[in-house]
Amino acid sequence: MRTVIVRLVEPEQSDGQLRGLLEEVGREPVPFSGTQAVLDLLMEAAGLKT
């Protein structure tokens, strides 16, 4: 298991969906749209999804 530090950059909610950028410390921010996209990015950053 590894520890991953992330932050939401410029989050906003429009039409009921969360949008913005997800930044893993030491990497470039990645855009996302929707809750599932955030979960997918978090799982990938943690090494749980390829």
Side-chain angles (χ1 to χ4, degrees):
M1 183 183 342
R2 65 185 259 215
T3 300
V4 178
I5 300 172
V6 298
R7 71 181 183 128
L8 292 177
V9 182
E10 301 175 15
E12 64 180 47
Q13 186 172 0
S14 95
D15 299 326
Q17 277 202 324
L18 183 63
R19 294 187 174 120
L21 300 171
L22 185 72
E23 179 183 18
E24 182 180 346
V25 171
R27 295 193 168 183
E28 292 293 316
V30 177
F32 70 88
S33 178
T35 305
Q36 189 60 49
V38 172
L39 294 174
D40 289 345
L41 289 169
L42 289 172
M43 289 181 66
E44 186 177 325
L48 301 173
K49 185 176 182 177
T50 56

